[in-house]
Amino acid sequence: MHTPPEEHPVRAALSFHNISAIYIFVIMFIVFSVWIPEKFLQPGVWRSLLDAEALTGLAAIAALLPLVAGSLNLAVGAQVGFCAILSAFLLSKAGLPIALQLPAVVLAGALIGYLTALVITRLRVEPIIATLGMSSVLLAGMAWVSGSQQILDLGPDYRRIATTQFGGVTVPVYVLLVVAVVTWYVLERTPVGRRMYAAGYNPEAARLAGVDVARLKTGTLVAGGAIAALAGALLTSRINAGDPTVGPSFLLPALTAVFLGSTQFRRGRFNVWGTLVAMYVLAVGIKGLQLGGSPRWVNDLFYGLALLLAVALSQWEKRSARRR
Amino acid sequence: MADGLAPALLRVTDLVKTFPGLTALDHVSLEVRGGEVVAVVGHNGSGKSTLVKILAGAYAADGGAVVTEEGTELHFIHQDLALIGELTAVENLALYKSPDPDRACELVGRFGPVFDIEAPVRDLTPAQRAVVAISRALDGWTHPANVVVLDESTESLHKTEVDVLFDAVRRLAADGAGVVFVSHRLDEVLTLADRVVVLRDGRKVADEPVATLGHGRLVELITGGQAAMAHTHETTVRDGDPVLTVRGLRGGTVEHLDLDLRPGEIVGVAGVLGSGREALPSLLYGAASGAADELTVSGAPYPRRSPGGSLSRGIAFVPGDRARHGSVRDLTARENLTLPQLRTLTGRFGNLSARREHAEADRLFTTYQVRPARPEQRFALFSGGNQQKIVMARALRDDPAVLLLDEPTQGVDIGAKAAIYDAVESAAAAGTAVLVSSSDAKELLRLCDRVLVLRDGRCAAVLTGTDLTEHRLVTEGYGLS
C-alpha cells in the first residue's frame, strides 16, 4: 500500500501554518520599530503590556476551558466584571477582610459557572444562548450592586496584591503563569483533559465511550467561572476601584485569543500556550497602533477583524486537514 | 401489463459503476414502458440503491447510458419522503412557487379524502405524508408519460396506508406513466408490480413478468439459490453459564426480546430494517433508552444501563455509524484507542503515562494490522477499513466479556473485512461472548453459531446448524414461511 511520506518534524513545527502568530509578531515588531522606535522600543511599554494583559490571559483561559468541552462562553466578560464589582463591594460595603473576601469572590465565580452549567445540561439551552442570557443577568447584577457607580475606599492593602513586583514582574503575571501551567497539565496530561477534548469534538461518540459529558461540561464551566473571578478580583486591585464598565470589554480579546490560539501549535485544537501567544501578539498590535496615534475605536476594529480572521483560519485548518 | 406496443419511457443500458474494491453495478440494463410498474429487488449490496442514485443524478455512472423518451421526466419519491416537517402540506407542495391552497387541495384530493393541509406535515400520519410527497412528485406534469421512481417509499407505512399509496400508483400507471418500484418487501412487490428485475452482487439475474414468479422463486433469485450460500462457520455448542441474560427487553423498534449469551459463542441478529435488528446492540449497551424485565451480567443484576456502566462490566460496543458514534475524528488514532479506558494508563500524579499509552497504541496497531502504522495520525485520515479496525481494536482492547457489534463491516473493503472476522473469531475463542447485528446475510453465515431472526421487534426464529442458510434468513425475515 502506498503511504505518503511523513512531514519533517522540525520543518512542520516551524512552518507558518503551525506558528503563524509568531511570524505575525515578528512582522509587527519590525514595522512598529521602524515607524515609532522612540515610543515602541521602551522597556516600560513592554512591562506594562505584560502586566495589563495578564488579566486578559486569565479571561481567555476562563473561556478556553468550557470551549474545549464544547461550550462557547459569551459571559466571560460579564463574569470578570461582576466578580470585580463583588470584590470591591465585599471590601468596602461589607467590610470583609481580604482573607475572606478573595475566597468568597472565587467561590461566587464558581457558583456562577455552576448555574450556567445547570441551564446548559439540565434545561438543554444551547451554550451560546445560555451564556448570552447569563451575561445580561450578570450585567444587571453589576449595576444593582454598584448602583452603576465606581466603588472606592478599598483600603490601603488591597491595591498591593496586583501591584507588588517580584523580579520586576507583577503578581497577576505569576497568577496567570500558574493557572496556565495547571490548565495545560490537566488538558494535555490527564485523562480528564483527554475526555474534555473528546466531549467537545463529538459528544455522542464520547458518551458511547463511557465519558460523562454533562459532568465534564459542568466542571469546565465551574473552573472557568473561578478563573474569571480571579481575573475580576485582580482587576479591582489593579485599578484600586470597583468599576462597572471595565469587565465586559474582556470578552472579545479573550475569545479572539482562544480561537486564534487554536490555529497555533496543536493543528486546530484549542490549547493554552497558543491562546496566550495569540493574546500577547494581538496586544502588541493594539499597543503599536495606539502608540502610533490611532484613535480608541481602532481597538474594537482590530479585535473584531482578528476574531473573524481567527475563526476563518481555524475552519480552513479543519478543511485542509480533511483533504490531506 | 405492458403489451410490447407501449413505448419505453426509460431505457437503461449496460450501466457500470465501481467503487474502490467493489463493482456496484455490472452491465445492468432495463426498460420501463408507459403504463407499467417495474419492481427492482435485491439484497443489501445488490446495487439497487446505486441504480437509484444514478437515475437521480447523485452518482455519475462509469459506463453505459440512461436514456429517456423525448419529453419524459423522472420523478422521485425517496424513503424519507424529503418533506420539511415544520411546513404545512400547502407550503411543501409549493417550495419553489407561491403557496396555493386550492391547487394543493386538488393535488391531494386525487388520492382520497383531503386532510388538514394547513397543519405542519410532521403532525400528519405517515400515509398522509406519503400522499404529500407523491402529490409533489406529480405536480406540474404537462403530460402523463413520465416515470416515477418509488425508492423504498413504503418503509414507514402501515398496511392500510400502503394500499392508499398503491391505489395512487396504479392510477398513474393507468394514465400512461412508467413506475419503478424499489423495495425489499416482497409481498408488496408481488402485489403491485407487472414485472420484476432482480439484482444480485451488481448484476441483473432476472427480468420477468410477475405472473411467472412466486415467493419461493423470488427468494431463490435474490439469494442465488440455497446451495450457493451455506453456513460456513463451524458451530460450537456452548453450555456454560450465560455471561449475559436478558428477559423482556424493549425499547426503540424492539418490542420484546429474551436472550442468553454464553462465553465464546457468536450470536447473529438478522431482520429487515425496522425489525429491531438495528436497535438491539445499542439497547443492550445502554446507548439507547429502553427497559427490561430482567438483565444480568455474569450473574449479577444490571438494572440501569449506561455506556459507562457497561464498559466497567466488560461489555464493549462497536456502533454501526463509525464516523458519528464510533470515533472522534479529530483526535488521533492513539487517543481514540485509549479513550474508553484511560485509568489503566494513569500514573502516580493522575497523569497519563505517555510511554505506556504509546506502547498500548503500538501493540493494538500491530495486533490488528492497521495501515499506515501511524498511531499519531488523525483518525479521520485513515481509510474506512482501517478506521473500522481501529474501532474494533478499541472494543477488544481489554478483552471484554461481551462484544456487541452493529454492522461491523459496513463500507469496508474485502481485506479489512477478513481482518475483522479474524478479530471477532479469536476474541470468541478467548472466551468473549459476541453479538453481531448485520444486514449482510453472508456475514452472519460466515461468523455465527446461531442467528436470531427478528420481525416486528420480536424473535421470529432462531436458526442454527443446517437450518442456518441464506434462504431461511430471508424467508424468516420477511415472514414468508
Side-chain angles (χ1 to χ4, degrees):
Chain A
M1 185 189 281
H2 172 73
T3 50
E6 243 167 317
E7 255 186 289
H8 192 273
V10 175
R11 197 178 307 155
L14 292 180
S15 69
F16 179 77
H17 191 66
N18 196 41
I19 52 168
S20 52
I22 288 175
Y23 286 90
I24 292 170
F25 172 78
V26 170
I27 294 167
M28 285 196 309
F29 188 86
I30 293 170
V31 167
F32 289 127
S33 300
V34 172
W35 181 25
I36 39 169
E38 70 290 351
K39 288 179 190 159
F40 189 69
L41 296 175
Q42 298 293 326
V45 167
W46 292 85
R47 206 174 295 143
S48 86
L49 198 67
L50 193 67
D51 173 50
E53 293 303 319
L55 302 184
T56 313
L58 286 173
I61 293 175
L64 168 76
L65 278 169
L67 202 50
V68 167
S71 326
L72 177 60
N73 185 359
L74 294 183
V76 159
Q79 282 175 306
V80 172
F82 181 82
C83 291
I85 288 298
L86 188 67
S87 298
F89 177 82
L90 291 179
L91 280 174
S92 88
K93 303 263 166 84
L96 248 55
I98 294 170
L100 283 180
Q101 173 259 4
L102 267 184
V105 169
V106 172
L107 203 67
L111 192 67
I112 292 167
Y114 184 67
L115 291 177
T116 313
L118 284 185
V119 173
I120 293 171
T121 60
R122 293 291 158 88
L123 305 182
R124 315 243 163 199
V125 178
E126 285 289 315
I128 190 165
I129 301 298
T131 56
L132 193 62
M134 193 49 109
S135 174
S136 185
V137 170
L138 289 172
L139 291 180
M142 272 162 76
W144 179 57
V145 171
S146 68
S148 298
Q149 302 208 323
Q150 285 206 338
I151 301 178
L152 304 168
D153 328 316
L154 305 184
D157 295 333
Y158 194 62
R159 192 180 153 69
R160 282 196 213 119
I161 295 176
T163 51
T164 305
Q165 297 191 357
F166 298 97
V169 177
T170 53
V171 169
V173 179
Y174 290 106
V175 172
L176 172 63
L177 212 59
V178 170
V179 169
V181 168
V182 171
T183 306
W184 163 79
Y185 187 80
V186 171
L187 284 183
E188 313 262 342
R189 289 284 181 272
T190 68
V192 174
R194 182 68 54 75
R195 294 191 194 111
M196 278 163 59
Y197 279 112
Y201 278 133
N202 187 341
E204 183 57 15
R207 185 179 78 89
L208 292 180
V211 175
D212 190 340
V213 176
R215 217 174 77 186
L216 273 183
K217 283 196 165 187
T218 306
T220 57
L221 284 158
V222 169
I227 294 168
L230 210 52
L234 289 170
L235 174 67
T236 293
S237 167
R238 191 165 181 277
I239 58 181
N240 200 22
D243 187 332
T245 62
V246 182
S249 62
F250 278 87
L251 174 65
L252 209 55
L255 280 187
T256 308
V258 171
F259 278 104
L260 186 57
S262 77
T263 65
Q264 309 294 311
F265 310 133
R266 297 299 315 273
R267 296 183 301 182
R269 238 178 243 198
F270 295 113
N271 69 94
V272 174
W273 304 125
T275 299
L276 293 189
V277 165
M279 179 201 71
Y280 274 110
V281 169
L282 292 168
V284 166
I286 286 282
K287 196 76 192 173
L289 289 172
Q290 280 174 357
L291 292 174
S294 307
R296 289 285 301 180
W297 52 261
V298 170
N299 261 16
D300 288 334
L301 181 70
F302 185 82
Y303 276 118
L305 290 179
L307 178 63
L308 298 179
L309 194 72
V311 175
L313 209 63
S314 64
Q315 292 299 325
W316 174 74
E317 177 118 22
K318 268 189 205 155
R319 282 200 308 276
S320 69
R322 228 162 268 167
R323 270 199 305 271
R324 243 183 296 150
Chain B
M1 190 186 295
D3 53 12
L5 296 174
L9 298 176
L10 170 70
R11 204 174 275 125
V12 173
T13 35
D14 273 340
L15 215 53
V16 177
K17 178 72 187 174
T18 55
F19 296 105
L22 172 78
T23 304
L25 287 177
D26 190 359
H27 297 279
V28 170
S29 304
L30 66 93
E31 276 185 3
V32 181
R33 296 192 186 84
E36 187 184 37
V37 179
V38 179
V40 176
V41 299
H43 243 213
N44 295 293
S46 61
K48 59 184 200 296
S49 51
T50 307
L51 176 65
V52 172
K53 283 181 176 142
I54 290 175
L55 290 179
Y59 289 163
D62 298 333
V66 177
V67 182
T68 52
E69 181 75 358
E70 179 81 36
T72 294
E73 297 161 2
L74 288 179
H75 295 268
F76 292 84
I77 301 168
H78 291 290
Q79 186 180 342
D80 60 3
L81 303 181
L83 297 175
I84 298 165
E86 281 67 32
L87 299 183
T88 66
V90 176
E91 289 162 333
N92 266 289
L93 283 167
L95 281 182
Y96 304 104
K97 310 182 278 269
S98 59
D100 180 353
D102 296 337
R103 173 86 183 131
C105 229
E106 183 197 325
L107 284 168
V108 171
R110 289 197 221 164
F111 303 106
V114 173
F115 42 86
D116 185 359
I117 54 173
E118 297 286 2
V121 295
R122 75 175 131 72
D123 297 337
L124 300 177
T125 66
Q128 290 168 338
R129 280 200 291 270
V131 166
V132 176
I134 196 166
S135 301
R136 188 172 63 184
L138 302 185
D139 188 16
W141 287 25
T142 49
H143 59 88
N146 291 323
V147 174
V148 179
V149 181
L150 299 160
D151 180 15
E152 309 271 12
S153 316
T154 58
E155 196 66 64
S156 58
L157 303 183
H158 290 293
K159 182 77 184 73
T160 50
E161 300 167 334
V162 169
D163 292 342
V164 174
L165 182 71
F166 282 6
D167 277 348
V169 170
R170 285 200 193 92
R171 223 169 303 166
L172 271 180
D175 286 346
V179 178
V180 179
F181 179 55
V182 181
S183 178
H184 64 235
R185 295 190 174 179
L186 301 188
D187 287 334
E188 295 176 3
V189 166
L190 294 170
T191 318
L192 183 68
D194 300 315
R195 196 150 54 80
V196 181
V197 170
V198 183
L199 298 180
R200 189 169 71 232
D201 299 329
R203 273 188 291 271
K204 184 168 86 171
V205 294
D207 187 345
E208 294 174 25
V210 78
T212 66
L213 294 167
H215 268 138
R217 175 76 185 129
L218 206 47
V219 170
E220 239 177 75
L221 286 168
I222 291 170
T223 60
Q226 277 171 270
M229 264 326 284
H231 186 205
T232 50
H233 181 79
E234 202 172 310
T235 303
T236 32
V237 179
R238 313 271 166 181
D239 41 29
D241 285 337
V243 59
L244 184 133
T245 304
V246 61
R247 295 287 173 269
L249 182 72
R250 57 204 175 269
T253 46
V254 175
E255 300 273 341
H256 184 101
L257 203 76
D258 301 340
L259 179 69
D260 288 305
L261 283 180
R262 295 186 166 73
E265 72 174 345
I266 305 178
V267 176
V269 183
V272 298
L273 199 66
S275 64
R277 181 251 304 158
E278 68 289 337
L280 184 56
S282 62
L283 196 57
L284 280 173
Y285 183 65
S289 57
D293 297 334
E294 187 197 335
L295 183 81
T296 59
V297 179
S298 309
Y302 176 19
R304 291 183 46 171
R305 292 182 308 288
S306 71
S310 294
L311 283 169
S312 66
R313 285 170 174 82
I315 303 174
F317 172 48
V318 173
D321 188 339
R322 112 185 119 244
R324 278 172 52 215
H325 300 149
S327 65
V328 182
R329 47 175 293 127
D330 289 316
L331 292 181
T332 65
R334 165 177 57 84
E335 289 167 324
N336 269 288
L337 282 169
T338 56
L339 183 65
Q341 181 52 278
L342 290 163
R343 203 164 300 154
T344 53
L345 305 171
T346 306
R348 212 174 316 154
F349 309 104
N351 61 313
L352 274 175
S353 161
R355 187 180 47 79
R356 282 190 351 237
E357 195 187 3
H358 282 102
E360 181 82 351
D362 288 341
R363 175 182 76 81
L364 292 168
F365 260 64
T366 312
T367 309
Y368 295 98
Q369 297 167 23
V370 184
R371 297 283 177 275
R374 281 187 210 152
E376 298 309 302
Q377 182 168 298
R378 259 189 243 203
F379 182 87
L381 303 182
F382 288 87
S383 71
N386 283 293
Q387 288 184 350
Q388 191 67 8
K389 285 189 207 166
I390 294 170
V391 174
M392 283 295 296
R394 175 173 107 162
L396 290 169
R397 182 178 148 219
D398 287 319
D399 303 322
V402 178
L403 176 63
L404 306 169
L405 302 173
D406 185 10
E407 301 288 357
T409 61
Q410 202 166 60
V412 151
D413 59 277
I414 291 169
K417 215 176 220 183
I420 287 162
Y421 291 158
D422 282 352
V424 171
E425 279 171 340
S426 54
T432 297
V434 184
L435 184 86
V436 191
S437 161
S438 179
S439 56
D440 181 350
K442 294 185 183 70
E443 178 161 290
L444 296 172
L445 297 179
R446 161 81 178 71
L447 278 176
C448 299
D449 299 313
R450 62 190 162 98
V451 175
L452 313 183
V453 184
L454 304 193
R455 198 166 64 231
D456 301 328
R458 288 159 194 272
C459 185
V462 181
L463 303 177
T464 183
T466 51
D467 285 344
L468 184 46
T469 61
E470 190 168 6
H471 184 261
R472 285 294 300 276
L473 283 177
V474 173
T475 51
E476 295 291 349
Y478 290 127
L480 299 174
S481 53

